Amino acid sequence: MNNMNEAESIFSGTKGWEKLRALIEAYRNAGIFILVDENTAKFCLPVLLEKCPELGNSVVITAKSNESNKNIAGVESIWRSLAKGNAVRNSLMLCLGGGVITDMGGFAAATFKRGIDFIHIPTTLLAMVDAAIGGKTGVNLDSVKNQVGVFNLPKAVFIFDTFLETLPKRQKLSGFAEMIKHALIDSPEHFEKLILLNSPEKICNDANILESVLVKVAVVNQDPKEAGIRKALNFGHTIGHAIETYSQKHNTHPILHGEAIAIGMICESFISLRLLNFPEDELRRMSGFINWHFPHYSLNPVIADELFSYMYQDKKSFGQMQLNFSLLRGIGEPAWDQLAGEKLVLESLHFYTNLDAGFFV
Ligand code: NAD
C-alpha cells in the first residue's frame, strides 16, 4: 500500500460529485464497472446514474448482499463478470455499497489482472466511517472473518449522506458503533459530542461522518500496515468479532457487525479497567450509553468456549495461551498489544450480561 495521505482522496458534497465525474471521465475508454448488491442496485444506483449520467454505458455487476456471501466464491463471480465485460488493466471499478461490497469489491479489483483501479462509494454509515477507509480489503474463510485479503487503497472515496436516506435504522445503529469507537480512541470531547447528539439519526450528515473518518485516516496514515498504532482501531473487535462469528453461525437472524462491536467495546472497557486502570466512572458511562442504544444480546455461559475458539483464531491473538487486545487507558488514550487471560475475559462477558438495560446517566 502506498503512503499517500488518504484524507486527500476523500470527497463529499457538491464538490464530491464534481470530482467523481471528473475522475470517471479518465476511465471512459477503458471500461467502467459498477459493483452493487441487490439493495444498492435498487436504492443507490439510480441516484448515482442521475448524478453521473456518463456512467450510463458502464457494466453493472450485482453481488449477493450479506456477510455470508463475503467469501471467495463471491469474489470469483466478480472476477468472471469483469472478464466477461472485457475489463483491462486500466479499467475502473466503482464499489457502490456497504462494507461487504467495499471489502469484496476492493479485493476483486486489487487482484484482477494483478490490480485494476477502484473507487469506493460507501452507502452504509458503517462503510462510510470505517470499511471504505484505510485500504483493508478481503473476504471471510469458512467461519473466520477477513481471513484472506490485501491492503490496497482505493483511488478515491466519496461520502454522500444522501445514500443514508434509504438505509434501515438498524444499519445506521451498526455504523454508529464504529463512530463511538473512533470517538473513544480520539478524545473525551469527541465522545461528549456523540453523547450530546445521542442518536444515530442526528449523526448522519457529511460533517459528522467526515469527523469520524478523519480519526481513522489519521491513525492509518501513521501506520498503514498495522504494525503499531493502527491496532488501536481494533478496540472492541477481539470479543466483538467472536460474538459476530458465533451469531452468524447459530442465529437465524444474526446480529450486525456494529452491534457485535458495541458489546465488544463494553467488555474490552471492563478489561481496560482491570488491566490499565480505565476510570470506573467512564466505564459506567460509556457502557450505559452503548447499552441504552443497542439491543441486548444474550451471552449464555455455555457459549464461552466457542467464543474463545474464535478469539484464538482472530488475527490479533498471539499463540494459544493468551488473548491480545486493543484497550483504553482512558478516553482518547488507546493501548494495543495488551494480553489478557480467559478468566478476565469471562468476567468481562459477565459484566456485560449483568448491565442494567435502563442505566445511563
Ligand atoms: P453490508 O454491506 O452487508 O450492508 C448492510 C445492508 O444494507 C445490506 O443488506 C445492504 O444491501 C444494505 N444497504 C447498503 N446500502 C444501503 C442503502 N443506502 N439503502 C438501503 N440498504 C442499503 O454491511 P456493512 O455494515 O456496511 O459492512 C459490514 C462489513 O464491513 C463486514 O463484512 C465487516 O467485516 C466489514 N468491515 C470492513 C472494514 C475494513 O477496514 N475493511 C472495517 C469495518 C467493517
Side-chain angles (χ1 to χ4, degrees), residues 49-253:
L49 294 180
E50 193 198 316
K51 293 278 191 187
C52 305
E54 50 278 81
L55 286 174
N57 293 330
S58 21
V59 179
V60 176
I61 302 175
T62 308
K64 285 188 198 145
S65 67
N66 277 332
E67 189 65 27
S68 55
N69 295 310
K70 196 180 98 173
N71 52 33
I72 204 68
V75 171
E76 201 178 332
S77 164
I78 300 168
W79 286 329
R80 287 193 198 290
S81 300
L82 287 168
K84 201 172 155 205
N86 300 318
V88 291
R89 265 307 263 293
N90 52 348
S91 295
L92 173 73
M93 178 142 86
L94 301 175
C95 302
L96 180 70
V100 167
I101 288 298
T102 55
D103 272 13
M104 205 159 59
F107 181 63
T111 45
F112 186 78
K113 290 195 187 286
R114 299 193 178 84
I116 63 170
D117 286 346
F118 61 101
I119 283 175
H120 284 332
I121 310 176
T123 61
T124 64
L125 184 58
L126 187 129
M128 289 177 186
V129 298
D130 197 0
I133 310 296
K136 280 187 182 176
T137 73
V139 293
N140 305 328
L141 180 67
D142 301 327
S143 60
V144 189
K145 275 189 65 71
N146 306 325
Q147 192 76 341
V148 178
V150 295
F151 285 97
N152 202 359
L153 280 173
K155 212 68 195 147
V157 180
F158 291 88
I159 310 280
F160 298 123
D161 55 13
T162 180
F163 288 124
L164 299 176
E165 286 164 22
T166 56
L167 190 70
K169 261 189 179 171
R170 191 174 165 207
Q171 293 290 347
K172 284 184 190 150
L173 192 63
S174 181
F176 189 47
E178 297 289 2
M179 293 179 87
I180 295 173
K181 181 196 77 181
H182 287 166
L184 286 170
I185 64 173
D186 185 30
S187 68
E189 295 74 25
H190 195 161
F191 184 57
E192 277 313 308
K193 189 174 169 185
L194 293 198
I195 289 198
L196 285 175
L197 285 166
N198 198 22
S199 136
E201 298 293 326
K202 283 193 200 147
I203 234 149
C204 283
N205 63 52
D206 285 347
N208 291 331
I209 295 167
L210 284 174
E211 185 177 7
S212 192
V213 164
L214 290 181
V215 174
K216 179 160 182 181
V217 169
V219 169
V220 172
N221 278 343
Q222 290 175 67
D223 175 25
K225 289 278 180 78
E226 202 170 299
I229 193 174
R230 185 168 180 163
K231 294 180 188 175
L233 296 166
N234 294 330
F235 170 60
H237 282 59
T238 304
I239 291 177
H241 269 167
I243 294 171
E244 186 184 7
T245 305
Y246 176 88
S247 181
Q248 285 284 339
K249 209 165 169 187
H250 296 282
N251 300 142
T252 320
H253 301 290

Side-chain angles (χ1 to χ4, degrees), residues 67-68 140-145 237-257 259-261 263 297-314 349 352:
E67 189 65 27
S68 55
N140 305 328
L141 180 67
D142 301 327
S143 60
V144 189
K145 275 189 65 71
H237 282 59
T238 304
I239 291 177
H241 269 167
I243 294 171
E244 186 184 7
T245 305
Y246 176 88
S247 181
Q248 285 284 339
K249 209 165 169 187
H250 296 282
N251 300 142
T252 320
H253 301 290
I255 62 172
L256 302 180
H257 178 76
E259 291 170 339
I261 298 312
I263 302 169
Y297 186 75
S298 172
L299 291 176
N300 188 317
V302 297
I303 74 171
D305 280 347
E306 189 171 340
L307 291 181
F308 281 128
S309 73
Y310 298 136
M311 289 182 221
Y312 285 124
Q313 283 169 16
D314 194 288
L349 299 177
Y352 169 74

Side-chain angles (χ1 to χ4, degrees), residues 32 256 331:
I32 299 178
L256 302 180
I331 295 179

